[in-house]
Amino acid sequence: MHSNFIKHIIVSVFLLQFGLSGWSKQTETIEISSRKIPILDQLPTKAIHRIFQDTDGYIWYGTFDGLCRYDGYDIKTFRSDTQRPNLLEDNYITYITEDHNKQIWFGTFKGVYILNTNYILEYTKVGNNDLIVGYK
């Protein structure tokens, strides 16, 4: 009787380990690779909050100190600073996307901005429909 009990336990463990595994949800292994951002020292800060690649291949970085565009060679930064103090109401970039006209839209805590293909910055405050041209 004792040997039947042990056999029953062994068979149960075997079935649970191998027999029921076909019924359980199969998981896929996804390989994730990461690389160091080579232009990190060219950004206004090393804290990147958003990364977006547009349809032309530019990489856009949203930091708490402005929006940065990387063309594969250089960084162009859009932010308020001593040279353009009123360009943005807030330099903390919270969102980046592109519309069907290839205009880059980005958000901050104080508004939504549109950067069109001519690199004219238009400012729209959340809840307000007035557009103000701020940079050309």
Side-chain angles (χ1 to χ4, degrees), residues 87-102:
L87 184 62
L88 304 175
E89 277 194 42
D90 186 8
N91 285 330
Y92 194 113
I93 306 303
T94 58
Y95 192 81
I96 309 168
T97 192
E98 181 180 27
D99 67 16
H100 63 280
N101 292 323
K102 292 189 170 189

Side-chain angles (χ1 to χ4, degrees), residues 67-116:
L67 178 71
C68 304
R69 185 194 73 194
Y70 180 55
D71 62 6
Y73 301 100
D74 296 309
I75 293 285
K76 179 164 180 68
T77 302
F78 302 91
R79 67 178 174 181
S80 290
D81 55 20
T82 56
Q83 296 174 349
R84 298 176 305 226
N86 298 318
L87 184 62
L88 304 175
E89 277 194 42
D90 186 8
N91 285 330
Y92 194 113
I93 306 303
T94 58
Y95 192 81
I96 309 168
T97 192
E98 181 180 27
D99 67 16
H100 63 280
N101 292 323
K102 292 189 170 189
Q103 293 178 321
I104 299 297
W105 290 64
F106 60 100
T108 70
F109 287 118
K110 294 186 179 179
V112 176
Y113 298 80
I114 304 167
L115 191 62
N116 71 22

Side-chain angles (χ1 to χ4, degrees), residues 22-82:
W23 293 330
S24 65
K25 182 179 176 184
Q26 298 292 326
T27 58
E28 289 184 37
T29 303
I30 299 173
E31 188 173 322
I32 298 174
S33 63
S34 64
R35 291 182 281 165
K36 184 178 179 182
I37 298 174
I39 45 82
L40 195 59
D41 293 336
Q42 297 176 36
L43 297 175
T45 179
K46 292 183 181 184
I48 299 172
H49 301 285
R50 300 288 179 260
I51 300 176
F52 178 79
Q53 185 171 14
D54 68 17
T55 55
D56 291 329
Y58 294 114
I59 305 292
W60 296 85
Y61 298 99
T63 72
F64 72 81
D65 199 15
L67 178 71
C68 304
R69 185 194 73 194
Y70 180 55
D71 62 6
Y73 301 100
D74 296 309
I75 293 285
K76 179 164 180 68
T77 302
F78 302 91
R79 67 178 174 181
S80 290
D81 55 20
T82 56

